[in-house]
Amino acid sequence: MRTIALRVMQDSIEIAYSTNDNQAPYRRFVITYNPMQTIGDNLEKIKVVLAGLQIDAAILLNSLEYEFSDTIIGINHNRIDIGLAITNMLNIPVVCQRDVEEHGLAKAIKKKQRYNEWHLDYFGEYEKKRNYGQEAMLTIGNGYFGLRGAYVESRADEDNYPGTYVAGVYNQLTTKIGDHDVTNEDLVNLPNAQFLTFGVDHQTPFTINPNDIQDIYRSLDLKHGTLTTTMHIQLSTGHDLAVTTTKIANMKNWHDYAIQYTITPINFSGTLQVYSEIDGSVINGNVERYQDFDQQHLHITGMSSRDNQIYMTGETRNSHIEFAIGSSLQLLGQKKAPQLEVSNQENHVKQVMSIDVSVGHTYVFEKNVSIYTSLETHDQPLIEAAGNDISEASFNQTAKESANYWKAAWDNFDIQISTDITSQKLTRVNLFHAMVSAAAVGSGKLDASVGARGLHGEAYRGHVFWDEMFILPFYTLHYPELTKQLLMYRYRRLDAARDYAKQEHYEGAMYPWQSGQTGDEQSQFLHLNPTSHQWDPDNSRLQRHVSLAIAFNIINYTQVTGDHEFMNQYGLEMLLSIAKFWISATTFNAKEKRYSISHVMGPDEFHENYPNADEPGLTNNTYTNIMVAWLFNYLIELQPQVPKKTFAKVAETSNFDQSLFEKMTDIAHKLKLDINKNGIMAQFEGYFDLPALNFDAYRRKYGDISRIDRLLKAEGKTPDAYQVAKQADTLMAYYVLNIDEVDHILGQLGYQLPQEYLTKNIQYYLNRTTHGSTLSRIVYSVLTEMDDNMDQSWSLFSTALFSDYYDIQGGTTAEGIHLGVMGATLMIETRNYGGVDSLGRTISIHPNLPTQWSKLQFKQLIRGHWYEFEITQSQIQMTTDTDVTVNVEGQPVALKANQTKTVDY
């Protein structure tokens, strides 16, 4: 085993490299600290001096001893977890010498690698958006609620934001902006019931501040769903304490969560007070650019207490969604009953528990919380429901139920990656947050879908976008009932989509770009440009392609599950209504004998209209037109497969007659695309008339140009006037469908493109794309993989996988995780790199494993049967529970039930 051994000195790091299990001979290096550089920059020199050497693990020879990590060291009066830093930098496990001596090198490395692959850890106290981002990444929840991973002792300020969100709880408020009344609907930040802190001898309660905190370590255990925060505290009075907080969301009874609060007085005896609150004074304050709007969403209607329990009731101000929150506080394992006082202040209900403490003894407190709303609870008073829960709840029971859930969940959907610790950890982070965002919706008792930022923050106001298209395919392969319920959210808003179409002078159903409580359009008309601090017009509602994403989700669900009953009862009506909208959106040019679609935007978002145009929107967006043709083809093929009476009934309900089928067929063969003589497809008609932009000049001027739209507008220019894109647009259809399907549609439309046209199009648009959306790298990673450019695909995929962990957009993770990207990375791993395509009648397997991975393992539920795959660089092992034939590299392979089949490729 190839190792490096590190000894951290006062002004340097000594490194010994060995190719023989840390045995001689050694190659030795010394890195001298530069006090003018940051710790991170100094540590980066490790990577530089070791360049070209193959390393399997690192051994830290002189780490400090802490209960939360064995790789803490001190550098220039600062403590850091050098193990976390080196693992992130070199993608290797870092073990301490003590563990090697106790267990041996191989076992110590295996143990640490396993830990790294199942934990998301942060050491140290961070501030502002960086800490906000870590709170989002450490969010726990269950799809009913999301509880940001804030310190329980914190209140909302510029460094901390302890938000709580319940799926579907929206409220609208109107604010005067200039001469306009602007109405926004937000996912509401509910009262903060996770608040806990302590005080010593009735002095001022502890607050989060760097003066009192010596060390702080946060660890999200992905395997069991627990978030643990460990703090070493020295108060200004000299009192030393160790405080450990563990939070768990109940994955079975999804109204509840539990907190264990453990305090050890290190150097004193006396009295200790623990303060527990439900704070109803909270606002929606997570997103800085929304602060000009009214964010006071709550009206508190009552506060009460009994025994060791406190309650708060209220409602949202305009949507009048009622809620009740109850919490209990108790001290465990002590014979003497503590003193407990309760007080009510304006929109606060508070408990104070006081006990006598002795030096060195550990005291364990427990807080159980229950949340109910009128959206899902109709059969009993909300406060009664909450009271019943917390009367029976305990931390241990919640932990047990959560552990049972996660054990079954990981068996269902875990993706195992060999020889890549970082990809493995971040893959599991994404899997974890996929369920935090949605799990409870699968119960069928919630009317909600997944917001683009999960239940993790307030960006995009918690709205539902086309991002569903990037996460629902994952749910479908593991929890099809969850996908079904998320699609039912759209079905229940079908009438609202019809009303929206009618309002905009279309027919059929036009789903909104941003959807919330009722399914009406929630896109803003004005958007604050944080660069210019000016309010710019926002035409993003013209992204009508969201309806095509919904259509894709319906079709994908039906094809993967075989749930034709859903299609007949719900899906077909949505598809026909969406198709009717698109028919009504077309116009026919008799001279060209082509149909056009105008007044739309593509996924790009930088282009909202033509320069100097009187009307917003673009004409013949390539992605939109290809997907419309695809939808029409699907419905034409579907009609004879549906029972005639069923189809007739749904068609009648949708007001979709045979003449529309005939017109749909005609449109599917005559939609117009703009393609130049080199086979480059224009993003929209007239795109080639726009000038190119000097990207290098803007990079020299601004550095980060990912949001060049804001930079251009701040300069008095507009991105509408240039060939520049925020994200993948023209080639999006290749991500959603596949090359053969898109080529078929192009041919059907009468367009013949030259050989290697896709390669040329990919590079053409990559050169014009700033990746201002995290989804952009997802799409281009798939496109470049399709084009056999694995180096570029891997680079784009890796950046997307890291995007929330490193908050590569400079603070956006602070406002919530990017759920679409998280879901899409999982699909790239299994569908593109693993090569398993379940959309056809026969499962197709065509692996294209990155060289960084030696093995990939996962299972999927396809048409009611479980399939397990183990894929290496040269072999595929497959096991399923039924007799079936699959295609491997284009060749049929017969599988027998419960027998593993190995195929070389």
Side-chain angles (χ1 to χ4, degrees):
M1 187 176 299
R2 298 159 298 190
T3 62
I4 54 172
L6 299 94
R7 185 178 301 277
V8 180
M9 310 298 286
Q10 185 174 351
D11 55 3
S12 63
I13 300 178
E14 299 174 354
I15 302 174
Y17 175 73
S18 167
T19 58
N20 184 28
D21 293 344
N22 198 33
Q23 302 297 314
Y26 297 105
R27 292 181 63 180
R28 299 186 182 276
F29 308 87
V30 176
I31 297 173
T32 303
Y33 301 140
N34 182 344
M36 303 303 293
Q37 294 181 332
T38 65
I39 292 177
D41 288 338
N42 275 292
L43 292 179
E44 188 70 19
K45 296 174 187 176
I46 297 175
K47 190 174 184 179
V48 175
V49 301
L50 297 174
L53 299 178
Q54 299 299 310
I55 307 168
D56 300 310
I59 304 161
L60 189 57
L61 300 176
N62 60 336
S63 61
L64 303 174
E65 294 199 25
Y66 283 92
E67 71 274 24
F68 44 74
S69 173
D70 58 8
T71 54
I72 306 293
I73 55 94
I75 298 179
N76 289 341
H77 302 286
N78 291 295
R79 285 181 296 279
I80 67 165
D81 191 333
I82 198 171
L84 286 179
I86 292 177
T87 298
N88 286 338
M89 187 166 53
L90 301 179
N91 203 12
I92 58 172
V94 181
V95 299
C96 72
Q97 179 64 21
R98 294 186 304 277
D99 214 23
V100 173
E101 292 170 355
E102 183 176 352
H103 300 290
L105 180 62
K107 286 186 178 180
I109 289 172
K110 186 176 181 180
K111 174 186 171 186
K112 180 52 69 79
Q113 179 170 325
R114 190 163 52 243
Y115 179 91
N116 288 337
E117 292 174 346
W118 283 106
H119 289 82
L120 178 63
D121 292 355
Y122 297 99
F123 178 54
E125 185 183 0
Y126 296 89
E127 61 181 15
K128 299 188 169 121
K129 285 190 175 182
R130 188 169 183 186
N131 190 55
Y132 270 36
Q134 292 176 6
E135 290 174 344
M137 292 295 286
L138 297 171
T139 294
I140 62 168
N142 50 30
Y144 174 68
F145 68 79
L147 191 69
R148 281 173 63 92
Y151 307 117
V152 294
E153 299 88 354
S154 68
R155 302 186 190 276
D157 56 30
E158 65 177 2
D159 297 325
N160 306 279
Y161 196 79
T164 304
Y165 313 100
V166 167
V169 177
Y170 292 98
N171 185 62
Q172 289 191 9
L173 294 173
T174 301
T175 308
K176 196 82 167 178
I177 300 291
D179 297 329
H180 302 281
D181 286 334
V182 179
T183 299
N184 288 299
E185 182 174 81
D186 290 84
L187 184 69
V188 175
N189 180 26
L190 288 176
N192 177 23
Q194 63 173 312
F195 184 85
L196 277 170
T197 193
F198 67 89
V200 175
D201 294 337
H202 300 280
Q203 298 181 73
T204 303
F206 169 75
T207 59
I208 296 293
N209 70 84
N211 294 327
D212 292 344
I213 297 173
Q214 295 180 309
D215 293 292
I216 192 163
Y217 204 94
R218 290 177 288 182
S219 179
L220 177 59
D221 180 345
L222 302 163
K223 194 170 189 177
H224 303 100
T226 59
L227 173 60
T228 301
T229 301
T230 304
M231 288 193 287
H232 292 166
I233 298 168
Q234 184 176 69
L235 301 177
S236 60
T237 54
H239 295 86
D240 288 350
L241 305 97
V243 179
T244 301
T245 307
T246 304
K247 293 191 281 191
I248 309 177
N250 194 313
M251 304 301 293
K252 180 180 179 182
N253 184 356
W254 30 260
H255 295 277
D256 300 348
Y257 65 87
I259 304 172
Q260 186 179 82
Y261 200 51
T262 302
I263 303 176
T264 305
I266 302 298
N267 64 349
F268 70 94
S269 299
T271 66
L272 183 75
Q273 290 73 47
V274 170
Y275 301 84
S276 171
E277 287 187 21
I278 304 176
D279 178 4
S281 68
V282 300
I283 64 169
N284 274 47
N286 177 230
V287 181
E288 185 178 355
R289 61 188 174 278
Y290 297 167
Q291 297 310 303
D292 287 344
F293 296 102
D294 184 359
Q295 301 288 1
Q296 301 273 354
H297 290 281
L298 301 179
H299 171 56
I300 304 303
T301 58
M303 295 179 287
S304 60
S305 65
R306 69 167 185 260
D307 300 326
N308 67 333
Q309 302 170 7
I310 54 175
Y311 298 90
M312 178 175 287
T313 59
E315 65 176 8
T316 52
R317 281 170 52 188
N318 290 317
S319 56
H320 301 294
I321 299 171
E322 298 176 358
F323 60 84
I325 301 175
S327 78
S328 63
L329 178 66
Q330 61 188 107
L331 171 67
L332 304 183
Q334 300 295 314
K335 294 180 180 179
K336 183 179 178 181
Q339 297 178 358
L340 184 63
E341 298 177 0
V342 179
S343 62
N344 296 349
Q345 301 170 356
E346 185 177 4
N347 295 337
H348 289 73
V349 55
K350 179 169 68 174
Q351 294 168 300
V352 182
M353 182 175 284
S354 186
I355 62 171
D356 296 326
V357 296
S358 299
V359 63
H361 287 253
T362 297
Y363 301 87
V364 181
F365 301 85
E366 183 177 300
K367 182 172 185 175
N368 293 284
V369 179
S370 185
I371 307 171
Y372 279 79
T373 82
S374 56
L375 288 179
E376 82 290 335
T377 305
H378 312 289
D379 56 351
Q380 66 181 133
L382 300 181
I383 195 168
E384 180 181 312
N388 290 341
D389 273 19
I390 61 173
S391 294
E392 299 295 328
S394 71
F395 179 88
N396 287 340
Q397 184 65 21
T398 296
K400 180 180 178 182
E401 291 174 348
S402 179
N404 289 341
Y405 169 87
W406 286 111
K407 184 177 186 300
W410 289 114
D411 181 65
N412 175 313
F413 58 60
D414 191 20
I415 298 172
Q416 298 177 50
I417 300 169
S418 297
T419 61
D420 187 346
I421 293 173
T422 303
S423 290
Q424 179 66 86
K425 175 177 73 174
L426 295 181
T427 293
R428 285 176 172 150
V429 167
N430 292 357
L431 289 162
F432 179 83
H433 286 302
M435 303 317 294
V436 167
S437 301
V441 180
S443 68
K445 298 177 181 179
L446 302 178
D447 181 19
S449 187
V450 284
R453 298 305 193 92
L455 294 169
H456 299 62
E458 295 164 17
Y460 301 150
R461 303 187 181 278
H463 294 159
V464 181
F465 288 74
W466 77 316
D467 300 61
E468 290 174 316
M469 185 171 68
F470 296 89
I471 183 68
L472 263 63
F474 162 74
Y475 293 141
T476 301
L477 288 163
H478 300 278
Y479 293 100
E481 183 61 30
L482 172 55
T483 300
K484 180 179 177 180
Q485 294 304 323
L486 295 170
L487 292 173
M488 289 302 295
Y489 166 89
R490 294 296 193 177
Y491 181 77
R492 285 187 285 266
R493 287 152 183 80
L494 180 57
D495 285 340
R498 288 171 172 145
D499 291 342
Y500 189 28
K502 186 176 181 181
Q503 172 188 324
E504 297 295 318
H505 309 294
Y506 295 109
E507 298 178 7
M510 183 176 75
Y511 280 92
W513 176 238
Q514 298 189 35
S515 181
Q517 184 176 359
T518 65
D520 58 343
E521 180 63 82
Q522 288 302 318
S523 297
Q524 303 171 57
F525 286 87
L526 295 172
H527 183 82
L528 179 63
N529 183 336
T531 301
S532 67
H533 304 289
Q534 299 295 315
W535 290 94
D536 296 327
D538 186 343
N539 292 312
S540 60
R541 73 189 66 82
L542 297 178
Q543 293 189 72
R544 311 302 190 194
H545 62 84
V546 64
S547 292
L548 295 166
I550 294 166
F552 170 80
N553 291 334
I554 295 165
I555 294 167
N556 180 80
Y557 167 78
T558 306
Q559 289 179 327
V560 173
T561 65
D563 188 352
H564 301 294
E565 183 180 354
F566 173 84
M567 176 62 80
N568 295 342
Q569 289 187 358
Y570 308 107
L572 181 58
E573 185 180 352
M574 286 189 277
L575 293 180
L576 289 177
S577 300
I578 291 169
K580 188 174 182 180
F581 156 68
W582 286 111
I583 292 170
S584 73
T586 62
T587 57
F588 185 67
N589 184 313
K591 183 178 179 180
E592 295 182 334
K593 296 183 179 179
R594 289 283 184 183
Y595 288 92
S596 290
I597 298 176
S598 301
H599 307 299
V600 299
M601 286 174 57
D604 166 31
E605 293 190 316
F606 280 179
H607 291 92
E608 298 184 334
N609 44 255
Y610 292 100
N612 301 309
D614 295 327
E615 294 182 336
L618 306 165
T619 299
N620 292 327
N621 172 256
T622 292
Y623 167 65
T624 300
N625 285 15
I626 288 175
M627 292 301 295
V628 167
W630 169 79
L631 172 61
F632 289 0
N633 286 347
Y634 178 84
L635 285 170
I636 291 164
E637 293 176 8
L638 180 67
Q639 184 180 17
Q641 301 173 24
V642 177
K644 288 185 177 180
K645 288 185 178 179
T646 300
F647 199 95
K649 182 179 179 181
V650 175
E652 182 180 0
T653 301
S654 306
N655 198 19
F656 201 101
D657 59 27
Q658 189 59 35
S659 67
L660 290 178
F661 259 97
E662 294 169 2
K663 187 170 185 181
M664 187 167 64
T665 303
D666 196 42
I667 293 170
H669 287 76
K670 296 178 182 177
L671 273 169
K672 184 180 180 181
L673 302 177
D674 189 357
I675 303 174
N676 72 13
K677 63 181 181 180
N678 297 318
I680 304 298
M681 296 178 281
Q683 185 173 310
F684 48 82
E685 190 172 340
Y687 180 83
F688 295 129
D689 297 331
L690 302 177
L693 187 70
N694 189 334
F695 279 51
D696 289 338
Y698 273 86
R699 287 191 181 97
R700 286 194 297 269
K701 186 175 181 179
Y702 293 105
D704 180 9
I705 62 168
S706 59
R707 290 308 305 267
I708 201 167
D709 59 325
R710 294 171 176 170
L711 302 175
L712 288 168
K713 290 176 180 179
E715 292 182 348
K717 302 173 184 177
T718 172
D720 293 321
Y722 296 96
Q723 291 186 19
V724 58
K726 177 183 179 183
Q727 63 192 80
D729 186 317
T730 310
L731 305 178
M732 259 299 300
Y734 294 88
Y735 172 86
V736 180
L737 309 175
N738 58 50
I739 295 174
D740 291 340
E741 280 187 285
V742 177
D743 280 349
H744 172 75
I745 291 169
L746 291 173
Q748 176 180 298
L749 293 173
Y751 297 104
Q752 300 299 321
L753 276 68
Q755 288 186 346
E756 298 185 356
Y757 80 91
L758 183 57
T759 300
K760 294 177 182 177
N761 274 270
I762 290 170
Q763 292 309 313
Y764 182 90
Y765 282 104
L766 270 173
N767 291 339
R768 289 158 174 79
T769 302
T770 66
H771 304 301
S773 164
T774 51
L775 289 171
S776 183
R777 291 181 178 85
I778 287 293
V779 176
Y780 278 114
S781 173
V782 170
L783 293 175
T784 49
E785 183 273 332
M786 287 179 175
D787 198 41
D788 292 326
N789 186 347
M790 278 299 290
D791 286 344
Q792 194 164 25
S793 174
W794 173 255
S795 175
L796 291 161
F797 165 78
S798 297
T799 305
L801 185 64
F802 298 163
S803 58
D804 273 326
Y805 183 54
Y806 288 121
D807 197 2
I808 64 171
Q809 290 191 316
T812 61
T813 303
E815 304 161 356
I817 52 104
H818 296 79
L819 185 61
V821 174
M822 288 187 167
T825 59
L826 307 175
M827 295 305 298
I828 289 177
E829 290 172 354
T830 58
R831 185 186 73 175
N832 299 96
Y833 294 164
V836 177
D837 185 351
S838 57
L839 290 183
R841 290 184 175 87
T842 302
I843 296 171
S844 174
I845 306 164
H846 179 78
N848 200 359
L849 220 58
T851 57
Q852 291 82 353
W853 299 351
S854 63
K855 186 166 61 178
L856 178 68
Q857 295 172 267
F858 57 92
K859 61 193 288 190
Q860 294 180 340
L861 181 62
I862 303 170
R863 289 180 275 281
H865 297 284
W866 281 105
Y867 292 78
E868 297 184 28
F869 301 95
E870 182 177 302
I871 301 166
T872 69
Q873 293 289 345
S874 59
Q875 278 190 341
I876 307 168
Q877 287 190 2
M878 298 165 285
T879 310
T880 185
D881 57 13
T882 185
D883 292 350
V884 69
T885 297
V886 300
N887 281 334
V888 178
E889 299 284 11
Q891 299 300 314
V893 175
L895 304 181
K896 295 292 185 182
N898 304 311
Q899 295 181 19
T900 299
K901 180 77 171 182
T902 301
V903 178
D904 294 330
Y905 74 97

